[in-house]
Amino acid sequence: MYDQPRANPSLAAMTFDQMLERVRYEGAYPTRERAEEAVRAVLAALGRQITGDERVDLAQCLPVEAALALTAQIPDTEQLTGWGFVKDLAARTGGTPATARWDTGAVLAVVSRLAGPDLLARILHQLPGGYALLFGQAELLQPQPAA
């Protein structure tokens, strides 16, 4: 029996240790333990925001330990904006919004590479405004018609 093809086979094979090293590099964290704290906190927060096929597909792209951090959370009934996500993460971790934003950027930069451009576009389409920048992407806004 054959496995289903994966979108990014080279990146999908990343181990949790390799993911932590990439996040440690992205975030310039002094220790692997600090990088792991950031990964677990940010993925838990993201798990409270995304639902449906995007949640399942993202979990499949991540190493098992990271996927468990993402899927262990029950999605919130009300989605947060990107800034709301950062503020909520800061409140839950006891950190500052600046630290939470730094952690989010370091983790989601690696997550976006693992997810690939197609899945990332689907995830961003599902989320409210402000998440593209958190994933290291440009956020293009459509002009609002004059009233």
Side-chain angles (χ1 to χ4, degrees), residues 33-137:
E33 290 74 22
R34 179 62 186 96
E36 185 171 354
E37 287 173 18
V39 166
R40 291 189 186 279
V42 171
L43 288 178
L46 187 61
R48 290 188 289 275
Q49 298 301 308
I50 62 173
T51 60
D53 290 341
E54 290 75 18
R55 179 183 173 99
V56 172
D57 293 346
L58 180 58
Q60 289 177 341
C61 294
L62 299 174
V64 173
E65 299 89 338
L68 290 173
L70 176 83
T71 58
Q73 301 301 309
I74 297 171
D76 287 342
T77 55
E78 185 177 325
Q79 287 186 318
L80 301 171
T81 63
W83 177 237
F85 178 89
V86 170
K87 290 192 309 186
D88 181 64
L89 181 61
R92 289 177 187 266
T93 60
T96 65
T99 302
R101 173 61 182 94
W102 184 270
D103 291 347
T104 300
V107 174
L108 295 185
V110 175
V111 168
S112 69
R113 282 186 238 132
L114 288 169
D118 294 338
L119 177 55
L120 183 58
R122 288 176 30 220
I123 290 169
L124 291 175
H125 182 72
Q126 182 188 90
L127 294 169
Y131 281 87
L133 292 173
L134 298 178
F135 280 94
Q137 306 291 309

